[in-house]
Amino acid sequence: MRFEGSDNYVATPDLMLAVNAAIRLQRPLLIKGEPGTGKTMLAEEVAAALGMPLMQWHIKSTTKAQQGLYEYDAVSRLRDSQLGDDKVKDIGNYIVKGTLWQAFEAGEQTVVLIDEIDKADIEFPNDLLRELDRMEFYVYETRELVKARQRPIVIITSNNEKELPDAFLRRCFFHYIKFPDRDTMQKIVDVHFPDIKRTLLKEALEVFFGLREVPGLKKKPSTSELIDWLKLLVAEEIPVEALRSPDQKAIIPPLHGALLKNEQDMHLFERLVFMAQRNR
Amino acid sequence: MLIDFFLHLKARKLPVSTKEFLTLLEAVQAGLAGHSMEDFYFLARASLVKDESHFDRFDQAFGEYFKGIEAIPGLEVDLPEEWLKAMMHKHLSPEEKAKLEKLGWETLMEEFKKRLQEQKGRHQGGSKWVGTGGTSPFGNSGYNPEGIRVGGESGGNRTAVKVWDQREYRNLDDTIELGTRNIKVALRRLRRFARLGAPDELDLDGTIAATARNAGYLDLMMRPERHNAVKVLIFFDVGGSMDEHVKVCEELFSACRAEFKHLEYFYFHNCVYDHVWRDSIRRHSERTPTLDVLHKYGPDYKLIFVGDATMSPYEILQPGGSIEYSNPEPGATWLRRLADAYPSLAWLNPEPERSWDYRQTIGIVRQLIGEKMFPLTLDGMTRAITHLSRKN
C-alpha cells in the first residue's frame, strides 16, 4: 500500500515519503503549511488513491476531544424521561458516536482527517493522546471499551495558530508543505488544466511568481488562488497578449482580484505598478 | 551507528526525543528509507523534527554529520572550470595556490569547502568580508555551500545538489524572522479567558447538575460568555537609535492591537521620565504624567517595554540627563517605580542578544528591571510571554 500522488494531486518526494511512513508505521501524520497549499486535499487524495472511505472531523474553537469519540445526549434523555418514554431505560440510546468511533468500528480501514487541529483549545491534542496511540477508548456511560478493528490512517492539518504540545508531536510524523517551486507549480497546473495553452500558462506563472515577490503584501497568493485565477482566465478567454505588455511596461494583470484578497494589498500593488510605469 | 547521529542532533539543540528516535529506527527497519540518502533525510526529518522553524537547524546538523559520507555538494554539478578556478584564486593565498597546483582537483574542492567553513566562523564573529561586499561570488546568500551551486543552477542540474545543503527553510528559523502573524501566534499564549458580563450562554453541564438536584425537573442555567481578560500596557521607545527597528515595532504593535481588548500604549524616548505620550506628532502638547499612568492602570496590567535601551548612561542615572529637557528625577528612579508597580513586566529589545553585554546601559536597565529583558525575536517573544503568563 503506497501513496504516489494521483491524477489530480502532485506530491513531492518528501511528502510521499512522509505519507508512506505514516501509513506503514500507523502513526498520525501532521501536515502544516501556508494556507492554500493543499493540506486538506491531501487527505482526500490519499483516501481516493488507497480506495478507502474518508472520515472528516473539522475542528472549531469550541470543539472538545470527547466529541470525536462520542457524546452523551443528556438533554434528549432528560426530555424522554419527563415524557415517560421507554427508550430512557437504556443509556445506550443516547450515546451519539463521533468520527473516531465510526472509523474504529468501520468494516474496512479508513482515512481520518482531523482538520485544523490548531483551532481548538490548547488541551485538545493532549486529550487525544491515548486514543491516537492505542486506538481505543472507554465509554464510561455504557462501561464498554471501544477498540479499533483496523487502525485508521490519521491525517491532521494545522495552520500554526497555536503551538501543539510536545507529547502530541512526538507521536506524529510531521511534514511541512512548502510553497511549490516553478517546476512543481507547472505540474500542479498541468494536473488541473491539462489543455491550457502553453504560452498562456507560462505568462500566467510569471505574473503569479512576480506577484508573490512584491514586497509588503499581507497575504501572498497561494496555489489555490492561482488555480482559481487560471480558471477565470480560461473561462473569460483572456488572450495571452493581455498578460504580456508589448512595450515592456508593467501592467495590472486582468482579473487580479482572484489573486489578491485584501484591499490594502490591492492598493499597494496598483501603486507599485503605477510607479513602475512612470519610471520607464 | 545512528545513535551518534541522534546525539549530534541533540547537541545541535534540536528538541528530539528517544521515542521519535525509536520511530525513525522502526521506519528504517521497515525499509522506508530505501537505499537513498535523500529518502533517509526526508524520513529522518518527518520523524524527528516537528516544527518547520527547526528545519534549517536540522538541515545544517544533517549536513555536518553526513559530510564525510556523501560527496561534496557541487562537485557533481557541471561548473565551468575556469569560473571555479577564478573564484578559487580570490579565496586562496599565493602559497596555497602553489600547493594546489600539485594537488588534484578533488583535494582542491576539499580545501575550498574548508575555506568556506572557516569564513562562516569569521563572519559570525563580526567581520563582514564575505557577505555584503558583493565582490565575493558567495554574495548575499553568504558563506554556505549554496554559493558553489550558483553555477550549477544555471546549468539546469539542480537535482545533483543535496537538499539539506540548499537550506530552503532558513527563513523559517524562529530566531530570525518576525512577522505580524508570528507575533500573533506568540501573543496568543498570553490570552487568559474569564467570564464577565450578562449571562446569555446555556450552561449545559450546570443545567444537567441542577436538573438532577431538582429531581428531574428541567432547571435551565445560564452563564456569561468568555472574554479575553488579559490587560496589557505597552511602552514604546521612539526616535533616535530606534529608527532602524521601526518596522518590527510596527508589526508588534499591530499584532498587539488585534489580540488584546485591554491594551494601553505610550511612547517614550530612550528612557522613561516623569511623562510619556500617546501621539508622536503632538508629543509636546499632549503629555501624560507617568504618575497618572501608574495610578490609573492597576497592578493586574502586564507591562511590556519595547526599546533598545541604548543611550548614554547619564540619561538613566543623572537628574537632568534627558536629551530633551531637564528632568528633576533620574530615569532610574522611574524605571524602578514602574518595575515595583507592575509585577508582570518584560522588556523586549530589538538589538541582538549577543550584543547586550557590550552596551553599558543595557546592563543598567536589565539590573533595574530585574533581568526581565528578552530579544525581539519570535523565540524571545515566546520566552517573554511565558514569563508574563506566570502567576506572580
Side-chain angles (χ1 to χ4, degrees):
Chain A
M1 201 161 42
R2 278 182 70 83
F3 172 69
E4 283 174 341
S6 71
D7 291 347
N8 12 340
Y9 193 84
V10 177
T12 50
D14 48 341
L15 175 61
M16 274 191 280
L17 201 112
V19 172
N20 287 323
I23 295 174
R24 187 68 184 270
L25 299 191
Q26 309 193 321
R27 304 274 154 88
L29 174 64
L30 174 67
I31 301 282
K32 278 204 228 169
E34 265 185 62
T37 37
K39 297 190 288 290
T40 308
M41 234 183 114
L42 173 71
E44 291 165 13
E45 292 304 325
V46 169
L50 302 179
M52 294 179 189
L54 174 68
M55 309 246 174
Q56 305 196 26
W57 184 17
H58 298 282
I59 308 299
K60 295 189 290 178
S61 64
T62 50
T63 308
K64 295 269 173 300
Q66 186 68 30
Q67 293 169 350
L69 311 177
Y70 68 92
E71 276 181 289
Y72 169 41
D73 190 356
V75 174
S76 49
R77 189 173 190 215
L78 197 63
R79 192 195 54 221
D80 285 354
S81 80
Q82 296 192 338
L83 297 175
D85 197 322
D86 257 359
K87 250 172 46 178
V88 81
K89 299 212 172 79
D90 181 9
I91 196 168
N93 289 331
Y94 300 95
I95 303 283
V96 184
K97 288 174 188 172
T99 317
L100 284 180
W101 191 339
Q102 288 169 23
F104 283 3
E105 63 165 27
E108 52 184 329
Q109 198 181 16
T110 54
V111 177
V112 174
L113 167 67
I114 303 180
D115 204 11
E116 313 207 18
I117 196 167
D118 54 324
K119 297 279 178 296
D121 191 73
I122 201 139
E123 288 305 327
F124 179 89
N126 278 336
D127 294 346
L128 282 179
L129 286 183
R130 192 186 138 87
E131 284 72 17
L132 291 179
D133 223 19
R134 311 276 301 271
M135 297 283 178
E136 62 179 37
F137 62 91
Y138 191 72
V139 186
Y140 294 95
E141 281 79 0
T142 55
R143 297 184 182 78
E144 64 174 310
L145 183 73
V146 177
K147 229 177 149 121
R149 289 192 202 164
Q150 308 86 4
R151 292 172 70 98
I153 297 165
V154 183
I155 296 182
I156 301 165
T157 72
S158 163
N159 267 326
N160 227 1
E161 292 203 1
K162 281 192 199 85
E163 302 243 345
L164 300 169
D166 285 345
F168 176 77
L169 291 175
R170 260 180 241 132
R171 287 166 167 80
C172 305
F173 279 103
F174 172 67
H175 183 77
Y176 181 82
I177 300 189
K178 66 169 186 292
F179 197 81
D181 56 17
R182 201 173 276 261
D183 295 344
T184 316
M185 189 57 99
Q186 181 108 32
K187 281 187 211 145
I188 293 175
V189 174
D190 285 347
V191 155
H192 285 268
F193 303 100
D195 42 36
I196 193 168
K197 269 181 274 164
R198 280 274 130 204
T199 38
L200 177 69
L201 178 60
K202 192 170 152 283
E203 298 294 334
L205 280 182
E206 235 147 67
V207 171
F208 173 75
F209 277 99
L211 198 57
R212 271 183 68 85
E213 270 154 31
V214 171
L217 284 190
K218 286 204 164 163
K219 162 82 176 75
K220 289 183 180 164
S222 67
T223 316
S224 62
E225 275 139 12
L226 172 69
I227 305 268
D228 284 348
W229 184 54
L230 288 177
K231 234 181 252 170
L232 281 174
L233 287 182
V234 174
E236 300 275 317
E237 292 178 1
I238 304 277
V240 186
E241 291 71 40
L243 294 176
R244 189 197 313 136
S245 63
D247 45 353
Q248 291 295 305
K249 263 189 189 171
I251 52 160
I252 297 181
L255 307 166
H256 62 300
L259 292 173
L260 298 172
K261 298 293 175 61
N262 180 311
E263 176 184 325
Q264 279 133 304
D265 285 354
M266 204 89 101
H267 282 315
L268 175 78
F269 179 65
E270 276 163 11
R271 224 170 35 231
L272 284 172
V273 169
F274 178 69
M275 269 156 52
Q277 277 171 347
R278 231 180 13 184
N279 287 343
R280 302 267 176 163
Chain B
M1 142 239 184
L2 284 174
I3 292 177
D4 282 340
F5 172 56
F6 177 67
L7 293 176
H8 178 75
L9 293 181
K10 198 103 192 153
R12 286 286 169 275
K13 297 222 166 79
L14 278 153
V16 285
S17 73
T18 320
K19 189 180 164 77
E20 287 161 322
F21 179 56
L22 292 178
T23 310
L24 173 64
L25 291 184
E26 201 184 325
V28 171
Q29 202 170 31
L32 281 162
H35 298 292
S36 119
M37 197 66 184
E38 199 164 294
D39 282 353
F40 175 72
Y41 160 75
F42 288 144
L43 187 67
R45 199 180 68 191
S47 47
L48 295 172
V49 190
K50 302 298 161 65
D51 187 344
E52 69 275 12
S53 61
H54 295 145
F55 275 5
D56 186 42
R57 227 179 291 168
F58 177 76
D59 286 358
Q60 278 172 281
F62 193 93
E64 280 165 25
Y65 187 81
F66 287 103
K67 198 170 41 191
I69 296 167
E70 281 282 339
I72 306 149
L75 250 190
E76 53 276 78
V77 178
D78 297 27
L79 282 184
E81 216 174 89
E82 312 315 305
W83 186 78
L84 256 189
K85 271 187 182 148
M87 230 162 62
M88 206 86 58
H89 285 287
K90 281 190 198 159
H91 286 269
L92 299 176
S93 65
E95 302 91 79
E96 279 169 320
K97 267 188 241 170
K99 220 165 62 183
L100 281 178
E101 303 294 90
K102 293 180 198 154
L103 301 167
W105 181 247
E106 306 268 305
T107 345
L108 193 88
M109 282 308 292
E110 197 75 61
E111 199 79 9
F112 189 48
K113 186 110 195 266
K114 251 188 240 155
R115 171 53 57 101
L116 286 175
Q117 275 173 347
E118 198 182 310
Q119 277 188 358
K120 178 176 173 182
R122 284 195 213 168
H123 177 78
Q124 284 175 337
S127 155
K128 290 190 176 175
W129 61 279
V130 171
T132 51
T135 53
S136 152
F138 303 97
N140 276 323
S141 60
Y143 40 72
N144 103 23
E146 250 182 11
I148 301 189
R149 201 162 55 97
V150 176
E153 227 173 358
S154 61
N157 198 2
R158 298 185 48 194
T159 44
V161 180
K162 295 288 152 283
V163 262
W164 50 92
D165 271 341
Q166 292 175 9
R167 294 187 56 196
E168 288 178 356
Y169 294 95
R170 187 190 306 174
N171 57 6
L172 295 173
D173 198 327
D174 63 356
T175 47
I176 304 166
E177 205 181 281
L178 202 62
T180 320
R181 192 179 156 73
N182 290 345
I183 300 175
K184 276 190 188 170
V185 175
L187 285 174
R188 227 157 260 188
R189 296 251 177 106
L190 202 55
R191 288 198 288 195
R192 186 175 300 158
F193 289 103
R195 298 190 178 277
L196 299 166
D200 54 1
E201 195 183 272
L202 176 68
D203 179 1
L204 190 56
D205 294 337
T207 304
I208 294 169
T211 309
R213 265 201 306 278
N214 217 0
Y217 282 97
L218 199 55
D219 185 6
L220 285 177
M221 301 297 279
M222 306 296 272
R223 65 182 168 193
E225 215 183 314
R226 299 203 306 172
H227 289 292
N228 188 348
V230 173
K231 301 172 176 177
V232 180
L233 190 60
I234 298 195
F235 279 53
F236 279 102
D237 183 357
V238 285
S241 53
M242 281 297 285
D243 281 348
E244 52 188 296
H245 308 298
V246 165
K247 189 170 171 284
V248 65
C249 289
E250 273 176 356
E251 283 180 348
L252 174 70
F253 184 62
S254 64
C256 287
R257 275 282 276 266
E259 209 52 46
F260 299 111
K261 208 168 165 195
H262 304 279
L263 171 76
E264 302 295 336
Y265 61 93
F266 294 97
Y267 297 114
F268 64 97
H269 189 186
N270 282 357
C271 186
V272 185
Y273 304 108
D274 47 354
H275 62 252
V276 287
W277 58 92
R278 266 190 194 256
D279 187 336
S280 279
I281 300 163
R282 284 170 294 171
R283 54 184 285 191
H284 295 294
S285 51
E286 289 176 22
R287 301 193 288 210
T288 316
T290 312
L291 268 183
D292 284 4
V293 177
L294 276 171
H295 292 146
K296 189 167 172 191
Y297 306 107
D300 51 335
Y301 272 82
K302 298 185 184 301
L303 177 62
I304 302 175
F305 284 103
V306 183
D308 56 2
T310 304
M311 57 199 119
S312 133
Y314 295 115
E315 293 176 53
I316 303 183
L317 300 173
Q318 291 287 327
S322 164
I323 50 165
E324 300 203 320
Y325 71 112
S326 178
N327 50 316
E329 283 177 298
T333 314
W334 283 106
L335 282 179
R336 213 172 281 135
R337 250 175 224 156
L338 284 164
D340 289 344
Y342 299 99
S344 280
L345 172 146
W347 186 301
L348 294 173
N349 195 332
E351 291 288 327
E353 198 168 4
R354 59 175 185 274
S355 69
W356 291 1
D357 288 339
Y358 306 104
R359 306 263 167 89
Q360 196 188 356
T361 48
I362 294 187
I364 298 173
V365 170
R366 281 172 82 182
Q367 226 170 32
L368 285 170
I369 58 167
E371 298 297 325
K372 296 166 191 166
M373 188 179 279
F374 306 91
L376 190 47
T377 60
L378 200 58
D379 171 57
M381 292 264 310
T382 314
R383 277 191 281 151
I385 300 291
T386 318
H387 168 77
L388 284 177
S389 41
R390 226 176 273 156
K391 288 227 169 70
N392 290 285

